Amino acid sequence: TAQAVAPGEAPTKKSPGASRGVEDLLLEEHTLFDQKFSMELGFELAHFDRSQLVLNGFLALDAIFLGDISIDEINSDVLTTSLTGRWTVTDRLQLSLSVPFVYRETTTRSGGQELSSILETEKKVDDSDLGDIALGVSYRLFPETPTRPDIVWNTSVIAPTGRDPYGIDFLEDPLNTNLQFPEELPTGSGLWGVQTGLSFLKTLDPAILFGSISWRHYLKDSFDDLGSNPEAAPSPGDVQLGDQYQFSLGIAFALNERTSLSTSFTQRFIDTTEISRPGFGAQAIVGSDATTGTFDVGVTYAMTDRLSVVSNLGMGLTNDASDYAFALKFPYRF
């Protein structure tokens, strides 16, 4: 039966509403269909640090190394600024568009001429350009019930609007022939891609569990030059990037009405990349397959009724993952 409410009085809520902090978090990890339109400005800084051991010599008695040893270091920082728009068409369908701008800086260090340990030189290269634009569609398959999680099907198309990494020349430092560095840095994959997967959400008061599984595939394409030697003739060929498989699991807690805390784990498997040159057939690129694992900790705070800040710190757990990645996102609800 309806409860009578005196004029000027607000009706009494029978159950508390969802925390704004949790809603803003789920906007990133899952999909919310209760906002007609939202815009988001995001910043992410990822740092990579790699070391490579170079040996110039031979093994004596299968145990003693005779020769020179050098360690090459590569430090890379990638700053991605993205603008994302989300439009909820119905209570089951949502469209999104993400436009990234990428700034990259890479520093390469190497031992001196003839692997000398006395002289060490470095070269810094930085570049910036538009990244790969993504258009996404999210459709709610099944709403949450007491025994079933909320299940959403997510599909996106990635356009190769960024600078591709193929045919970039590697130059040699005139003062140190051991040091080679790229002439410019890529900001995209260079290939059309499609990604599809499912995301899940289950409310277990006072916690919320979320997770996802996804698969990404890139379409093969041809390029005029795949080589990196500036003095060599162009080497045309086809590129087929390896498929990517990803799953993630996480949990979120509402600290108060405006603040939430979350932790999650993400694992990604990347297949081997293949290139095909005329007369040589398909050739697998050694070392192009990878496995990345990341542990994330995030805090979300609703600054106003419309504007929030979502922070996240990701720590790489495998050699192929970034050492760390820090992200700040500012979703605004219209």
Side-chain angles (χ1 to χ4, degrees):
T1 60
Q3 180 183 5
V5 179
E9 293 183 2
T12 302
K13 289 186 178 181
K14 297 302 182 182
S15 60
S19 165
R20 268 294 310 280
V22 172
E23 288 184 355
D24 294 327
L25 172 68
L26 299 181
L27 183 65
E28 305 295 330
E29 302 293 344
H30 191 56
T31 303
L32 294 180
F33 296 89
D34 57 349
Q35 287 90 36
K36 187 66 176 178
F37 187 73
S38 66
M39 291 290 295
E40 177 183 284
L41 179 63
F43 305 91
E44 181 182 58
L45 175 63
H47 177 76
F48 299 82
D49 191 349
R50 299 289 183 268
S51 296
Q52 179 179 354
L53 182 65
V54 180
L55 304 177
N56 184 16
F58 62 95
L59 284 176
L61 303 178
D62 295 331
I64 303 174
F65 179 79
L66 301 179
D68 299 321
I69 301 177
S70 175
I71 297 179
D72 295 344
E73 298 180 4
I74 300 178
N75 297 329
S76 181
D77 293 293
V78 182
L79 175 62
T80 303
T81 304
S82 59
L83 185 63
T84 304
R86 299 182 179 94
W87 176 39
T88 302
V89 183
T90 68
D91 60 352
R92 283 179 173 266
L93 180 64
Q94 184 181 98
L95 305 178
S96 65
L97 178 66
S98 180
V99 181
F101 185 84
V102 180
Y103 171 80
R104 300 187 60 176
E105 181 181 280
T106 298
T107 301
T108 306
R109 301 183 184 90
S110 179
Q113 191 78 17
E114 301 298 333
L115 298 178
S116 170
S117 60
I118 300 177
L119 175 64
E120 185 179 40
T121 57
E122 71 174 23
K123 185 66 177 181
K124 181 179 296 185
V125 180
D126 61 85
D127 228 326
S128 60
D129 206 338
L130 183 68
D132 289 345
I133 296 176
L135 175 64
V137 179
S138 298
Y139 182 77
R140 172 177 279 162
L141 297 177
F142 303 102
E144 182 180 5
T145 66
T147 58
R148 184 185 62 207
D150 191 74
I151 304 177
V152 176
W153 177 32
N154 304 291
T155 301
S156 60
V157 176
I158 302 99
T161 53
R163 181 184 303 158
D164 66 77
Y166 317 111
I168 295 180
D169 293 334
F170 273 71
L171 307 179
E172 187 178 274
D173 191 338
L175 301 179
N176 181 4
T177 57
N178 296 321
L179 179 61
Q180 293 185 341
F181 57 92
E183 185 178 19
E184 58 182 3
L185 299 175
T187 60
S189 65
L191 300 175
W192 284 91
V194 60
Q195 179 171 309
T196 186
L198 300 173
S199 60
F200 310 89
L201 182 145
K202 189 70 177 74
T203 302
L204 300 174
D205 194 30
I208 293 181
L209 302 179
F210 57 89
S212 66
I213 56 174
S214 65
W215 167 71
R216 178 179 293 189
H217 175 75
Y218 288 97
L219 304 181
K220 180 187 293 187
D221 202 354
S222 301
F223 296 89
D224 296 333
D225 187 14
L226 300 180
S228 59
N229 187 352
E231 299 179 357
S235 176
D238 300 334
V239 176
Q240 175 66 75
L241 293 181
D243 291 351
Q244 300 182 15
Y245 308 89
Q246 178 177 301
F247 73 88
S248 64
L249 294 172
I251 186 170
F253 296 92
L255 302 181
N256 53 47
E257 178 60 28
R258 291 183 174 270
T259 310
S260 68
L261 175 67
S262 67
T263 60
S264 63
F265 170 76
T266 302
Q267 183 84 51
R268 179 181 297 178
F269 303 94
I270 305 174
D271 287 342
T272 303
T273 295
E274 293 184 351
I275 62 174
S276 302
R277 291 189 173 93
F280 292 94
Q283 177 185 3
I285 303 300
V286 178
S288 59
D289 58 327
T291 300
T292 64
T294 307
F295 179 74
D296 298 275
V297 179
V299 176
T300 303
Y301 178 70
M303 296 186 289
T304 68
D305 292 339
R306 296 182 179 273
L307 180 63
S308 303
V309 55
V310 180
S311 63
N312 185 80
L313 176 62
M315 294 162 283
L317 304 179
T318 63
N319 292 332
D320 297 320
S322 60
D323 295 338
Y324 68 86
F326 180 71
L328 279 178
K329 298 181 180 179
F330 301 88
Y332 184 85
R333 308 180 183 191
F334 289 89

Coordinates of all heavy atoms in Angstrom, one line a residue, residues 186-221:
P186 N 56.3 5.2 -32.0 CA 54.9 5.0 -32.5 C 53.9 5.4 -31.4 O 54.2 5.4 -30.2 CB 54.8 3.5 -32.8 CG 55.8 2.9 -31.8 CD 56.9 4.0 -31.7
T187 N 52.6 5.7 -31.8 CA 51.6 6.0 -30.9 C 50.4 5.1 -31.1 O 49.3 5.2 -30.4 CB 51.1 7.4 -31.0 OG1 50.6 7.7 -32.3 CG2 52.3 8.4 -30.7
G188 N 50.4 4.1 -32.0 CA 49.3 3.2 -32.3 C 49.8 1.9 -32.8 O 51.0 1.7 -33.0
S189 N 48.9 1.0 -33.1 CA 49.2 -0.3 -33.6 C 49.4 -0.4 -35.1 O 50.0 -1.3 -35.6 CB 48.2 -1.4 -33.1 OG 46.9 -1.1 -33.7
G190 N 48.7 0.5 -35.8 CA 48.8 0.5 -37.3 C 47.8 -0.4 -37.9 O 47.8 -0.4 -39.2
L191 N 47.0 -1.1 -37.1 CA 46.1 -2.1 -37.7 C 44.7 -1.9 -37.1 O 44.5 -1.4 -36.0 CB 46.5 -3.5 -37.4 CG 47.9 -4.0 -37.9 CD1 48.2 -5.3 -37.4 CD2 47.9 -3.9 -39.4
W192 N 43.7 -2.2 -37.9 CA 42.3 -2.2 -37.4 C 42.1 -3.4 -36.4 O 42.7 -4.5 -36.6 CB 41.3 -2.4 -38.5 CG 41.1 -1.1 -39.3 CD1 41.7 -0.7 -40.4 CD2 40.1 -0.1 -39.0 NE1 41.2 0.5 -40.9 CE2 40.2 0.9 -40.1 CE3 39.1 0.0 -38.1 CZ2 39.4 2.0 -40.1 CZ3 38.3 1.2 -38.1 CH2 38.5 2.1 -39.1
G193 N 41.4 -3.2 -35.3 CA 41.2 -4.2 -34.3 C 39.8 -4.2 -33.9 O 39.1 -3.3 -33.9
V194 N 39.4 -5.4 -33.3 CA 38.1 -5.6 -32.7 C 38.2 -6.3 -31.4 O 39.1 -7.2 -31.3 CB 37.1 -6.3 -33.7 CG1 37.7 -7.7 -34.0 CG2 35.7 -6.4 -33.1
Q195 N 37.5 -5.9 -30.4 CA 37.6 -6.5 -29.1 C 36.2 -6.8 -28.6 O 35.3 -6.0 -28.8 CB 38.3 -5.6 -28.1 CG 38.4 -6.2 -26.7 CD 39.2 -5.3 -25.8 OE1 40.4 -5.1 -26.1 NE2 38.7 -5.0 -24.6
T196 N 36.0 -7.9 -28.0 CA 34.7 -8.3 -27.5 C 34.9 -9.1 -26.2 O 35.9 -9.7 -26.0 CB 33.9 -9.1 -28.5 OG1 32.6 -9.4 -28.0 CG2 34.6 -10.5 -28.8
G197 N 33.9 -9.1 -25.4 CA 34.0 -9.8 -24.1 C 32.8 -9.5 -23.2 O 31.8 -8.8 -23.6
L198 N 32.8 -10.1 -22.0 CA 31.7 -9.9 -21.0 C 32.3 -9.3 -19.8 O 33.4 -9.6 -19.4 CB 31.1 -11.3 -20.8 CG 30.5 -12.1 -21.9 CD1 30.1 -13.5 -21.5 CD2 29.3 -11.3 -22.5
S199 N 31.5 -8.5 -19.1 CA 31.8 -8.0 -17.8 C 30.7 -8.4 -16.8 O 29.5 -8.5 -17.2 CB 32.0 -6.5 -17.8 OG 30.8 -5.8 -18.2
F200 N 31.1 -8.7 -15.6 CA 30.2 -9.2 -14.6 C 30.2 -8.3 -13.3 O 31.3 -7.7 -13.0 CB 30.5 -10.6 -14.2 CG 30.7 -11.5 -15.4 CD1 32.0 -11.6 -16.0 CD2 29.7 -12.3 -15.9 CE1 32.2 -12.5 -17.0 CE2 29.9 -13.1 -17.0 CZ 31.1 -13.2 -17.5
L201 N 29.1 -8.2 -12.6 CA 29.0 -7.5 -11.4 C 28.0 -8.1 -10.5 O 26.9 -8.5 -10.9 CB 28.5 -6.0 -11.7 CG 28.4 -5.1 -10.5 CD1 28.8 -3.7 -10.9 CD2 27.0 -5.1 -9.9
K202 N 28.4 -8.3 -9.2 CA 27.5 -9.0 -8.2 C 27.6 -8.2 -6.9 O 28.7 -7.9 -6.4 CB 27.9 -10.4 -8.0 CG 26.9 -11.2 -7.1 CD 25.7 -11.4 -7.8 CE 24.6 -12.2 -7.0 NZ 24.0 -11.4 -6.0
T203 N 26.5 -7.8 -6.4 CA 26.4 -7.0 -5.1 C 26.4 -8.0 -3.9 O 25.4 -8.8 -3.9 CB 25.2 -6.1 -5.1 OG1 25.3 -5.2 -6.2 CG2 25.2 -5.3 -3.8
L204 N 27.4 -7.9 -3.0 CA 27.4 -8.7 -1.8 C 27.6 -7.8 -0.7 O 28.8 -7.6 -0.3 CB 28.5 -9.8 -1.9 CG 28.4 -10.9 -3.0 CD1 29.6 -11.8 -3.0 CD2 27.1 -11.7 -2.8
D205 N 26.5 -7.2 -0.2 CA 26.6 -6.1 0.8 C 27.5 -6.5 2.0 O 27.4 -7.6 2.5 CB 25.2 -5.8 1.3 CG 25.2 -4.5 2.1 OD1 26.0 -3.6 1.8 OD2 24.4 -4.4 3.0
P206 N 28.6 -5.7 2.3 CA 28.8 -4.3 1.8 C 29.8 -4.3 0.7 O 30.3 -3.2 0.3 CB 29.4 -3.7 3.1 CG 30.3 -4.8 3.7 CD 29.5 -6.1 3.4
A207 N 30.2 -5.4 0.0 CA 31.1 -5.4 -1.0 C 30.4 -5.6 -2.4 O 29.3 -6.0 -2.5 CB 32.2 -6.5 -0.8
I208 N 31.2 -5.2 -3.4 CA 30.7 -5.4 -4.8 C 31.8 -6.2 -5.6 O 33.0 -5.7 -5.6 CB 30.3 -4.1 -5.5 CG1 29.1 -3.5 -4.9 CG2 30.1 -4.4 -7.0 CD1 28.7 -2.2 -5.5
L209 N 31.5 -7.3 -6.1 CA 32.5 -8.1 -6.9 C 32.3 -7.7 -8.4 O 31.2 -7.6 -8.8 CB 32.3 -9.6 -6.7 CG 32.5 -10.1 -5.2 CD1 32.2 -11.6 -5.2 CD2 33.8 -9.7 -4.7
F210 N 33.4 -7.6 -9.1 CA 33.3 -7.3 -10.5 C 34.4 -8.1 -11.2 O 35.5 -8.4 -10.7 CB 33.4 -5.8 -10.8 CG 34.6 -5.1 -10.3 CD1 35.8 -5.1 -11.1 CD2 34.6 -4.6 -9.0 CE1 36.9 -4.4 -10.6 CE2 35.8 -3.9 -8.6 CZ 36.9 -3.9 -9.3
G211 N 34.2 -8.4 -12.5 CA 35.2 -9.1 -13.3 C 34.9 -9.0 -14.8 O 33.8 -8.5 -15.2
S212 N 35.8 -9.4 -15.6 CA 35.6 -9.4 -17.1 C 36.5 -10.4 -17.8 O 37.6 -10.8 -17.2 CB 35.9 -8.0 -17.6 OG 37.2 -7.6 -17.4
I213 N 36.1 -10.8 -18.9 CA 36.9 -11.6 -19.9 C 36.8 -10.9 -21.2 O 35.7 -10.4 -21.6 CB 36.5 -13.0 -19.9 CG1 35.0 -13.2 -20.3 CG2 36.8 -13.7 -18.6 CD1 34.5 -14.6 -20.5
S214 N 37.9 -10.9 -22.0 CA 37.8 -10.3 -23.3 C 38.8 -10.9 -24.3 O 39.8 -11.6 -23.8 CB 38.1 -8.8 -23.2 OG 39.4 -8.5 -22.8
W215 N 38.6 -10.7 -25.6 CA 39.4 -11.2 -26.6 C 39.6 -10.1 -27.7 O 38.6 -9.4 -28.1 CB 38.8 -12.4 -27.3 CG 39.5 -12.8 -28.6 CD1 40.7 -13.3 -28.8 CD2 38.8 -12.7 -29.9 NE1 40.9 -13.6 -30.1 CE2 39.8 -13.2 -30.8 CE3 37.6 -12.3 -30.3 CZ2 39.5 -13.3 -32.2 CZ3 37.4 -12.4 -31.7 CH2 38.3 -12.9 -32.6
R216 N 40.8 -9.8 -28.1 CA 41.1 -8.7 -29.1 C 41.8 -9.4 -30.3 O 42.8 -10.1 -30.1 CB 41.9 -7.6 -28.5 CG 42.3 -6.5 -29.5 CD 43.1 -5.4 -28.9 NE 42.4 -4.6 -27.9 CZ 42.8 -3.5 -27.4 NH1 44.0 -3.0 -27.7 NH2 42.1 -2.9 -26.5
H217 N 41.3 -9.0 -31.5 CA 41.9 -9.5 -32.7 C 42.2 -8.3 -33.6 O 41.4 -7.4 -33.8 CB 41.0 -10.5 -33.4 CG 41.5 -11.0 -34.7 ND1 42.5 -11.9 -34.9 CD2 41.1 -10.6 -36.0 CE1 42.7 -12.1 -36.1 NE2 41.9 -11.4 -36.8
Y218 N 43.4 -8.4 -34.3 CA 43.8 -7.3 -35.2 C 43.7 -7.9 -36.6 O 44.1 -9.1 -36.9 CB 45.2 -6.8 -34.9 CG 45.3 -6.0 -33.7 CD1 45.7 -6.5 -32.5 CD2 45.0 -4.6 -33.8 CE1 45.8 -5.7 -31.4 CE2 45.1 -3.8 -32.7 CZ 45.5 -4.4 -31.5 OH 45.6 -3.6 -30.3
L219 N 43.3 -7.1 -37.6 CA 43.2 -7.5 -39.0 C 44.6 -7.4 -39.7 O 45.3 -6.4 -39.4 CB 42.2 -6.7 -39.7 CG 40.8 -6.7 -39.1 CD1 39.8 -5.9 -40.0 CD2 40.2 -8.1 -39.0
K220 N 44.9 -8.3 -40.5 CA 46.2 -8.3 -41.2 C 46.2 -7.1 -42.2 O 45.2 -6.8 -42.9 CB 46.5 -9.6 -41.9 CG 47.8 -9.6 -42.7 CD 48.0 -10.9 -43.5 CE 48.1 -12.1 -42.6 NZ 48.4 -13.3 -43.4
D221 N 47.4 -6.5 -42.4 CA 47.4 -5.4 -43.3 C 48.9 -5.3 -43.9 O 49.8 -5.9 -43.4 CB 47.1 -4.0 -42.7 CG 46.7 -3.0 -43.7 OD1 46.7 -3.3 -44.9 OD2 46.3 -1.9 -43.3

